[in-house]
Amino acid sequence: MSVPGPPPPEGVLTGPPDILKSGEPTSAEIKTSSPGTHNQVVLLDTLEQEISKFRECHSMLDINALFTEAKHYHAKLVNIRKEMLMLHEKTSKLKKRALKLQQKRQKEELEREQQREKEFEREKQLTAKPAKRA
């Protein structure tokens, strides 16, 4: 067990001041520390304001970058939409053409079938028939 010694003389520090223990002092700590640090308080407040302005500028740059990126993707979407409309028109035209061709083939096939039937009937009429005996 150690015996406490006599108290230190007036004005001598026994350890680091409270301001230095927690790292950098805040403006509130400096304001309460002594009246001679008014310039430091003003300087710290100005510095904090500058830091907040700097952060705002960086956030504005980020926002501008996001808007630029959004414009880029919007342009891409517009191009894709135009391309999709063009492809839709082409497929519609191709479907109409395919339907017309199918109808034309069916009509030709029907005409051929009718022509065969006519030829078959004509052949049937041309074949000799046995005469009826009365």
Side-chain angles (χ1 to χ4, degrees):
M1 223 181 220
S2 67
V3 178
E10 189 75 27
V12 175
L13 296 176
T14 58
D18 290 337
I19 286 178
L20 297 178
K21 285 183 183 176
S22 64
E24 274 190 41
T26 63
S27 60
E29 290 172 340
I30 291 175
K31 287 177 187 175
T32 60
S33 65
S34 70
T37 58
H38 177 69
N39 288 339
Q40 288 181 346
V41 171
V42 171
L43 185 62
L44 274 177
D45 286 341
T46 307
L47 186 62
E48 286 173 2
Q49 289 172 0
E50 290 297 320
I51 289 172
S52 67
K53 286 179 186 177
F54 184 72
R55 286 185 180 140
E56 277 184 37
C57 286
H58 270 299
S59 66
M60 290 300 289
L61 289 175
D62 291 342
I63 290 171
N64 287 336
L66 287 174
F67 274 114
T68 304
E69 192 175 355
K71 285 179 186 177
H72 173 72
Y73 285 116
H74 177 72
K76 274 188 169 185
L77 285 172
V78 168
N79 287 337
I80 289 172
R81 186 170 186 265
K82 285 180 184 177
E83 191 174 330
M84 287 178 66
L85 288 173
M86 183 185 65
L87 289 173
H88 177 70
E89 288 176 13
K90 283 184 178 182
T91 55
S92 296
K93 287 178 183 179
L94 284 173
K95 285 179 182 179
K96 286 180 184 177
R97 184 171 177 225
L99 182 63
K100 285 181 182 179
L101 287 173
Q102 185 181 11
Q103 289 172 345
K104 183 179 176 184
R105 271 193 226 117
Q106 287 175 348
K107 184 179 176 184
E108 288 173 355
E109 193 176 316
L110 182 63
E111 288 173 356
R112 272 187 255 129
E113 186 63 33
Q114 288 174 348
Q115 185 67 28
R116 281 190 211 124
E117 286 179 16
K118 283 182 185 178
E119 287 178 12
F120 181 72
E121 286 295 322
R122 186 169 177 247
E123 287 290 323
K124 197 174 178 184
Q125 289 177 356
L126 290 177
T127 55
K129 299 179 185 174
K132 293 184 183 176
R133 294 186 184 176

